Amino acid sequence: MQLLIVVYDQGIDASVMELLSHLDLDGWTKQEDATGAGHTDPKMGDAIWPGLNNILWLELEDDHVEPVAKAFRHMQEAYRLQPGISLWSMPITAW
């Protein structure tokens, strides 16, 4: 099993939710209004550093990680100004 963590710009939440409805997933968890800094300007949800992120936590079979990650990248590439999406995966043990 793998945990796929998807951090994405909150502005594309509707597109992400639509993508999730088309993927064959058993379930997911979404954390909204995440702040932080990465490869671009910080997102702190205030007047100085506007914007927020959402985080998805997806438990996937090993062979599903790559197709799901590619689906997120394909969705990102469909935007003229590509929104921020970061993806990480790690092995997990479900209890």
Side-chain angles (χ1 to χ4, degrees):
M1 296 297 291
Q2 295 280 325
L3 178 64
L4 180 63
I5 303 167
V6 184
V7 178
Y8 62 94
D9 187 291
Q10 196 174 60
I12 63 165
D13 189 63
S15 295
V16 170
M17 293 296 102
E18 182 178 343
L19 176 63
L20 287 180
S21 72
H22 295 294
L23 296 172
D24 184 25
L25 303 175
D26 291 333
W28 47 268
T29 298
K30 179 169 77 168
Q31 179 182 353
E32 296 181 330
D33 300 335
T35 61
H39 299 291
T40 61
D41 289 338
K43 292 187 178 182
M44 299 297 178
D46 59 24
I48 296 173
W49 299 110
L52 293 167
N53 290 312
N54 289 344
I55 304 171
L56 285 174
W57 309 81
L58 308 168
E59 179 186 358
L60 302 170
E61 297 290 336
D62 291 349
D63 59 340
H64 288 116
V65 174
E66 187 173 342
V68 170
K70 284 183 177 182
F72 276 97
R73 289 296 180 214
H74 181 71
M75 179 199 66
Q76 180 185 34
E77 292 167 358
Y79 284 88
R80 189 171 67 85
L81 296 174
Q82 293 185 1
I85 299 177
S86 296
L87 302 160
W88 300 279
S89 68
M90 65 184 77
I92 58 169
T93 302
W95 296 91

